[in-house]
Amino acid sequence: LFRGNWRARQTRRLDAVTMADAEEKKEDAPKKETAKELMARAMKGVNVKEMPTVSGIEKKEDFAALAKTQIPEAELLAKNGELTKAMELLLALEKKCRLGLDIATLKTTVTSMVTICHDVGDWEKLNVVMAIISKRHQQSKHAVTAMVALATEWLEETPDKATKVALLTALLEVTDGKIYVEAERSVLTRKLAGIKEADGDIEGACACMLDVYVETFGALSKREKIDFILEQIR
């Protein structure tokens, strides 16, 4: 019994010594700074008001004045038979507007480009320009929507059926996969299918109509979807 009590007292003494050593080491160890304290020390002596500001994608530029000079210049080039140079000039302006987030001038520039091609009667160039504009990096949906709406009005002005089909095909490629022009795509698809059906190409008309999954189109009303599906069935 005596030995057991002695061993218990010795164990308690050792535990007490160990705890005391641990507390002493803890006190001697350098104190870790909190995140708040680190930030306060880093910002000491810094005038927040004078710190430089970073302007990223929010920065908007205005190219309206530049467009007023370059668009008429491009129109003059096109009338003199230099349509390619006119498009190169406006493509450079389009890039500035797109990257500078000047949406209003971007729409004006894009519609001017397709209008110039239309006015000189170069339908093939019109289709190429529309494809280029729609595939530009971070292209604005407002510019594409305006371009599609304008080009759709010219479908009845095409000189022949082949040109009309080519324009329809180009517009369908431009609207492919873009949610904001779903309604326009459904109308264009029906027009192309109607031409194929009139030519006796029933299989081509069916393939054209069935290529559109109109039930997933959120831009169409329920009535428009039902009407389109009934046309697919027919």
Side-chain angles (χ1 to χ4, degrees), residues 78-95:
K79 288 178 182 178
N80 293 331
E82 296 182 290
L83 181 59
T84 302
K85 287 186 178 180
M87 292 300 102
E88 289 174 354
L89 177 65
L90 292 185
L91 278 172
L93 176 61
E94 181 272 341
K95 182 178 180 180

Side-chain angles (χ1 to χ4, degrees), residues 53-70:
T53 57
V54 179
S55 56
I57 59 173
E58 294 82 8
K59 183 179 179 181
K60 296 183 180 180
E61 299 182 50
D62 188 1
F63 294 99
L66 183 62
K68 286 181 180 179
T69 59
Q70 290 194 348

